[in-house]
Amino acid sequence: KEASYLDHLIIDALIAEETRPRIVEFETGLLIILRSVNLNKGSEPEDMVSLRIWIDNCRIITIQRRDMKSVYTFAKNLDSGKVIKNSGEFLYNLLYESLSDTASFIYGISDALDYLEAKVTSTHDMKFRERIIQIRGQSAVFKRYLLPQREVIKKLQTVEQKWITDWARRHFQENYDNITRMIEESQEACERSQILHDELSNALSEKLNRS
């Protein structure tokens, strides 16, 4: 009722059950779908939560079916006096908070793999197998959602909207660089966890052969 001025296609996308990261440019603004790590209590981090955004020169609508921590962090920053001059600055800062939450978890996976590599190579204990499989699955999911989200950020640097200033385009490049590093970390985590899984499988095979 409050957003009857929007095209029905935009409204349908904002309230859709399932979404993937994407961006659609309209004459009056942008429809953007983002994903971030799920930090809700009792949830799996890789079950990434979505944020649906309509943004134009003078209006921003965000919708979430499940809580996204970065939204509340950003809102708290605004309440504390952070100055946002226009829609482009708003979008950059929202992206920054969303990517920061996801990055913290992804880089934590790398630290966990460092620990597992040391343990597996020294003990070949099969109790680590479940954790390795979990990390491999998490990394694959993150990569699947981050790749299209990187394309969203890339397009933000070229769309023709008067509220996307040169300042915003430069800072969207920062967002792009950050998400590229996260994708590379996710890919590396997939490869490292596969190597560790193979190491355990080979050790088990050798043990069975000896038996």
Side-chain angles (χ1 to χ4, degrees):
K1 293 178 180 178
E2 297 294 336
S4 58
Y5 48 81
L6 293 180
D7 187 289
H8 72 92
L9 295 175
I10 299 171
I11 295 176
D12 288 346
L14 289 173
I15 62 175
E17 285 285 345
E18 294 295 330
T19 60
R20 285 182 62 82
R22 63 190 177 106
I23 179 171
V24 182
E25 185 175 8
F26 292 84
E27 183 177 349
T28 54
L30 300 175
L31 169 69
I32 302 172
I33 311 294
L34 303 175
R35 289 266 185 163
S36 184
V37 62
N38 190 345
L39 299 177
N40 294 307
K41 187 176 180 180
S43 299
E44 298 296 333
E46 68 273 19
D47 183 21
M48 300 183 77
V49 294
S50 66
L51 180 67
R52 305 97 185 281
I53 305 167
W54 168 260
I55 183 166
D56 58 37
N57 189 47
C58 58
R59 182 185 300 106
I60 300 164
I61 300 171
T62 65
I63 295 178
Q64 49 188 338
R65 288 185 172 273
R66 296 176 294 173
D67 286 344
M68 182 183 287
K69 176 178 174 291
S70 53
V71 172
Y72 298 102
T73 301
F74 186 28
K76 186 176 180 180
N77 292 340
L78 292 173
D79 290 338
S80 298
K82 184 176 181 65
V83 177
I84 300 294
K85 298 177 182 177
N86 53 50
S87 296
E89 288 190 21
F90 182 99
L91 187 54
Y92 158 72
N93 281 277
L94 184 57
L95 279 167
Y96 176 86
E97 295 295 344
S98 172
L99 294 175
S100 294
D101 285 344
T102 305
S104 295
F105 189 83
I106 290 176
Y107 296 139
I109 286 178
S110 295
D111 293 338
L113 282 169
D114 290 340
Y115 170 81
L116 288 169
E117 282 176 346
K119 289 295 184 180
V120 168
T121 54
S122 62
T123 68
H124 293 113
D125 194 326
M126 294 302 294
K127 71 180 182 181
F128 299 114
R129 183 172 181 270
E130 184 176 343
R131 176 61 176 143
I132 290 169
I133 292 173
Q134 180 189 39
I135 286 177
R136 185 174 61 182
Q138 288 176 331
S139 301
V141 171
F142 280 123
K143 182 182 175 185
R144 184 168 73 245
Y145 281 115
L146 290 176
L147 281 170
Q149 188 149 305
R150 181 172 64 176
E151 294 307 306
V152 169
I153 297 172
K154 183 178 181 180
K155 187 172 181 180
L156 280 173
Q157 299 176 67
T158 59
V159 293
E160 295 296 330
Q161 297 287 328
K162 61 182 180 180
W163 46 269
I164 297 183
T165 62
D166 289 341
W167 182 96
R169 295 186 199 281
R170 290 195 304 272
H171 284 72
F172 289 148
Q173 180 62 49
E174 178 187 334
N175 293 145
Y176 183 85
D177 293 341
N178 288 340
I179 198 170
T180 297
R181 286 193 296 270
M182 291 159 58
I183 291 169
E184 292 170 351
E185 283 283 334
S186 296
Q187 178 62 40
E188 183 179 348
C190 283
E191 295 170 356
R192 291 173 67 190
S193 57
Q194 182 62 54
I195 291 170
L196 287 177
H197 185 270
D198 293 344
E199 177 81 11
L200 283 178
S201 297
N202 293 336
L204 179 60
S205 296
E206 291 176 10
K207 183 177 179 180
L208 291 172
N209 288 336
R210 286 195 301 269
S211 298

